[in-house]
């Protein structure tokens, strides 16, 4: 392989460390707290807006709508408008959204398992800085 073709091959290989690679946008999208929680909630099956709000607890309607639109725009969530009166809209994961959800479940369990250690470390750190 020539040096030029090696450079082209390296340049075309996706890398989150390459500031020009779209994989960075993917990380930015899914690293949002609300996106992660919405995807995890929808892993349980299709949900309406109000059910998602109840499940998430403290999300504002504006943030929920904004995040759902961004997830839909990027192909992670499918919006299903039943075309009824009153309006009935459900959201569900696309195939790629389900694949992401499988990954997020591991992160969710990690957070639920280790939050106490993180809380204790933060308290120790803050106490040391006050002294």
């Amino acid at each position: 392989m020539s040096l030029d073709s090696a450079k082209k091959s390296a340049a075309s290989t996706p890398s989150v460390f390459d500031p020009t690679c779209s994989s960075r946008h993917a990380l930015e999208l899914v690293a949002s707290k609300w996106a992660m929680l919405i995807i995890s909630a929808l892993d349980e099956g299709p949900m309406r807006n109000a059910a998602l709000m109840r499940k998430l607890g403290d999300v504002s309607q504006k943030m929920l709508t904004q995040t759902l639109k961004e997830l839909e725009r990027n192909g992670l969530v499918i919006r299903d408008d039943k075309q009824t009166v009153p309006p009935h809209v459900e959201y569900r994961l696309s195939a790629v959204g389900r694949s992401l959800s499988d990954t997020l479940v591991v992160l969710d369990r990690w957070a639920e398992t280790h939050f106490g250690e993180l809380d204790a470390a933060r308290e120790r750190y803050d106490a040391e800085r006050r002294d």
Side-chain angles (χ1 to χ4, degrees):
M1 177 183 289
S2 74
L3 184 56
D4 284 342
S5 45
K7 285 181 183 178
K8 285 179 185 175
S9 176
S12 65
T13 304
S15 171
V16 296
F17 297 106
D18 178 354
T20 64
C21 184
S22 287
S23 62
R24 281 221 176 161
H25 175 73
L27 278 181
E28 185 180 327
L29 172 68
V30 301
S32 144
K33 169 178 74 171
W34 296 120
M36 293 174 91
L37 290 172
I38 289 169
I39 290 167
S40 293
L42 290 176
D43 187 54
E44 298 172 7
M47 296 178 93
R48 294 178 73 176
N49 189 292
L52 277 167
M53 285 198 72
R54 283 191 301 275
K55 179 84 174 169
L56 300 180
D58 60 344
V59 66
S60 69
Q61 182 62 62
K62 178 183 177 187
M63 185 54 68
L64 178 59
T65 300
Q66 205 175 316
T67 306
L68 283 167
K69 282 182 181 179
E70 192 65 16
L71 293 172
E72 181 184 10
R73 178 175 178 251
N74 284 276
L76 296 170
V77 167
I78 297 168
R79 183 180 186 271
D80 185 14
D81 186 343
K82 305 292 186 183
Q83 300 295 318
T84 60
V85 176
H88 182 116
V89 176
E90 287 184 345
Y91 297 90
R92 61 186 167 86
L93 294 177
S94 66
V96 71
R98 282 192 305 279
S99 72
L100 175 59
S101 179
D102 293 342
T103 301
L104 292 180
V105 164
V106 175
L107 183 57
D108 290 346
R109 296 301 84 79
W110 180 89
E112 291 166 350
T113 301
H114 296 285
F115 76 91
E117 295 167 65
L118 301 176
D119 290 349
R122 191 171 45 254
E123 288 172 15
R124 280 191 308 275
Y125 181 91
D126 291 348
E128 289 171 6
R129 296 303 171 264
R130 282 191 297 267
D131 296 340

